[in-house]
Amino acid sequence: MARPYNFSAGPATMPESVLRQAAAEMLDWHGCGMGVMEMSHRGAAFGEILEQAQADLRALLAIPPHFHVLFSQGGALAHNAIVPLNLAGRHPERAMDFVVTGGWSQKSAREAQRYGDVHIAASSADEGFVCIPPPQQWRLRERPAYVHLCSNETIHGVEFHTLPDLAALGCDAPLVIDFSSHVLSRPIDWDRVGLAFGGAQKNIGPAGLTLVIVREDLLGHALPICPTVFDYRTLAEQHSMANTPPTWAIYVAGLVFRWAA
Ligand SMILES: Cc1ncc(COP(=O)(O)O)c(C=O)c1O
């Protein structure tokens, strides 16, 4: 069977060895007599799979201990709403600043407007989204709930090679990044990031899994209207098991983490 060259942004090509391992284990995972899709998410076998996947991702991205690794659902677009639902409450007027460098960050800003006071601190819309406005020219507020940017604009092709140091720009706020389309392709400077989120289907594994990596102090600010299973504190406290997680997607993502290690 010839496999085509597939440059789709997502769902995207998977390592062949991972697909073969998933196929080999489809009916029987490690001798337990059933496949991962069939087993209880509360059982010991799946617990092992989840823990290993989180530990491997932590190691791959050198995620510091004061960050939680959450395996959520909904895709990156759902988290365009879930992030403000969790973080906007850090500011009394729900002030959120956005840096818009392409279609995805533009979408994020529009969605966040439903939940608070969105300020576009910088935008390259007038240039057709072909550049990043120099950070020194961003009109950031002093202390918004957070600052959002998309670290790789999949459609417009604009990528941040270095993340901004908000403190040096006079802004005391955590940086939120949508890293959907370049996660695992580079190290992340966690000193500059408060929360990173992204769908797994581009760089990691099957659709259905959404990664959220969030600093401990950013938990616990969810607005009352935030659905409980999307409250990042609940997800952290319940080890990504507030409801049934996307077990198959987590398992395959775990195989990819092992492959990439
Ligand atoms: C940077 C970025 N953010 C968000 C999305 C939307 O993600 P999802 O389809 O997982 O909601 C995509 C692509 O689909 C993307 O490339």
Side-chain angles (χ1 to χ4, degrees):
M1 173 201 53
R3 284 175 50 83
Y5 290 101
N6 172 6
F7 294 108
S8 168
T13 298
M14 297 278 295
E16 203 171 312
S17 61
V18 165
L19 296 178
R20 290 193 186 285
Q21 187 175 346
E25 295 177 345
M26 180 68 80
L27 297 185
D28 183 8
W29 184 80
H30 295 200
C32 75
M34 62 177 113
V36 176
M37 256 187 274
E38 308 169 282
M39 59 178 61
S40 165
H41 62 292
R42 306 261 174 220
F46 184 72
E48 205 182 299
I49 290 169
L50 179 81
E51 259 180 47
Q52 191 64 57
Q54 285 178 330
D56 288 344
L57 179 61
R58 223 174 237 291
L60 276 173
L61 284 178
I63 301 170
H66 61 295
F67 281 77
H68 292 269
V69 174
L70 310 179
F71 287 163
S72 184
Q73 304 186 55
L77 286 193
H79 287 261
N80 278 345
I82 297 164
V83 169
L85 282 168
N86 273 275
L87 298 191
R90 296 184 74 251
H91 184 276
E93 270 90 49
R94 302 184 187 173
M96 300 166 268
D97 283 12
F98 280 71
V99 175
V100 177
T101 54
W104 292 112
S105 46
Q106 193 172 48
K107 248 188 173 150
S108 303
R110 286 195 184 132
E111 185 72 17
Q113 275 168 0
R114 298 158 60 102
Y115 304 103
D117 164 28
V118 165
H119 163 69
I120 306 298
S123 169
S124 56
D126 289 347
E127 289 81 40
F129 292 137
V130 292
C131 58
I132 296 172
Q136 297 72 22
Q137 292 171 17
W138 295 358
R139 296 173 311 279
L140 294 164
R141 292 182 284 191
E142 240 174 69
R143 195 177 278 222
Y146 65 94
V147 176
H148 174 115
L149 59 82
C150 177
S151 48
N152 189 40
E153 285 283 358
T154 322
I155 298 171
H156 289 92
V158 176
E159 183 174 37
F160 280 80
H161 291 164
T162 13
L163 293 171
D165 178 355
L166 293 183
L169 298 173
C171 176
D172 178 12
L175 180 67
V176 170
I177 61 170
D178 172 359
F179 63 4
S180 296
S181 58
H182 71 172
V183 57
L184 288 187
S185 70
R186 66 208 52 238
I188 293 175
D189 183 351
W190 293 107
D191 287 341
R192 296 191 173 183
V193 174
L195 185 150
F197 72 95
Q201 69 274 14
K202 298 179 194 305
N203 283 24
I204 297 174
L209 168 64
T210 310
L211 300 181
V212 179
I213 302 168
V214 57
R215 216 171 59 204
E216 167 76 22
D217 63 292
L218 300 181
L219 302 177
H221 302 280
L223 300 176
I225 56 166
C226 180
T228 308
V229 292
F230 287 129
D231 179 334
Y232 294 146
R233 180 166 66 178
T234 308
L235 268 174
E237 283 171 357
Q238 302 195 15
H239 307 287
S240 302
M241 291 272 208
N243 65 338
T244 314
T247 52
W248 171 257
I250 290 171
Y251 156 69
V252 179
L255 296 182
V256 174
F257 299 151
R258 284 262 122 159
W259 168 85

